[in-house]
Amino acid sequence: MNRRWLITIGIIVLALIVIGVLYEKGLLNFEWQELTMIFAALAGPYAFIKGKLIKDKRAMEILKKQEVRIENEAVHRSVTDEAIEEKQKKIELLNKELELAEKRIEIIEMKKKNVDKEVKEMTVEELQDEAVNYFGS
């Protein structure tokens, strides 16, 4: 009795393997949808075991490409972050220079107002003397 069960189980396993291989190759496409579903269900264990035992080359290539892409993305992100940080530092430096330039302009404008005020208060003779001092005789 034991031998009969082993032979029966062996035949069933062999049939499932054959069905799985035929289904994987695309040879079990019938017009009758129910029959196709039955064969797909019978091929399921074969596909599961094959997937666990044998690694799919295409899937492995996709995983390797994904790992490379993630590494490249990390490098690109770090380079981009560094470039952004440098530009922010330049912007801060330019803002400081702009503030200094604005303060210089304010000082120059105040000096100009003081000079204009002094010039308005000068007499004609003082204006002529200053003109001679600046431009020569």
Side-chain angles (χ1 to χ4, degrees):
M1 190 88 166
N2 250 350
R3 192 165 191 215
R4 252 189 195 169
W5 280 107
L6 289 175
I7 292 173
T8 306
I9 291 172
I11 291 173
I12 292 173
V13 169
L14 184 65
L16 288 175
I17 291 173
V18 169
I19 290 172
V21 170
L22 292 175
Y23 186 78
E24 188 177 53
K25 300 283 184 185
L27 299 175
L28 296 179
N29 289 331
F30 302 107
E31 290 183 19
W32 190 31
Q33 189 175 8
E34 288 81 11
L35 186 61
T36 303
M37 289 172 41
I38 291 170
F39 279 118
L42 292 173
Y46 166 79
F48 176 75
I49 293 171
K50 181 182 176 194
K52 291 294 181 182
L53 295 177
I54 301 171
K55 299 295 180 187
D56 187 17
K57 290 180 182 177
R58 203 172 104 229
M60 296 305 290
E61 287 176 9
I62 291 171
L63 289 174
K64 287 180 183 177
K65 285 180 183 179
Q66 182 181 8
E67 289 174 3
V68 169
R69 183 186 54 80
I70 289 172
E71 290 173 5
N72 290 341
E73 198 173 280
V75 170
H76 176 70
R77 189 178 311 123
S78 66
V79 168
T80 304
D81 288 345
E82 288 176 8
I84 289 172
E85 190 174 320
E86 287 179 19
K87 288 183 180 184
Q88 285 177 340
K89 287 179 182 177
K90 280 184 179 180
I91 289 172
E92 289 175 8
L93 182 66
L94 289 173
N95 281 337
K96 288 179 183 177
E97 289 179 8
L98 182 63
E99 288 176 14
L100 289 174
E102 287 175 351
K103 288 179 182 177
R104 287 183 194 141
I105 290 172
E106 288 177 11
I107 291 170
I108 291 172
E109 286 177 352
M110 289 180 68
K111 286 182 180 178
K112 180 183 172 193
K113 287 181 183 179
N114 287 340
V115 169
D116 286 343
K117 187 177 178 183
E118 288 178 9
V119 169
K120 286 183 181 179
E121 292 175 357
M122 289 181 160
T123 62
V124 176
E125 291 175 0
E126 290 174 335
L127 286 172
Q128 288 175 348
D129 290 339
E130 287 295 324
V132 169
N133 288 342
Y134 282 118
F135 302 112
S137 61

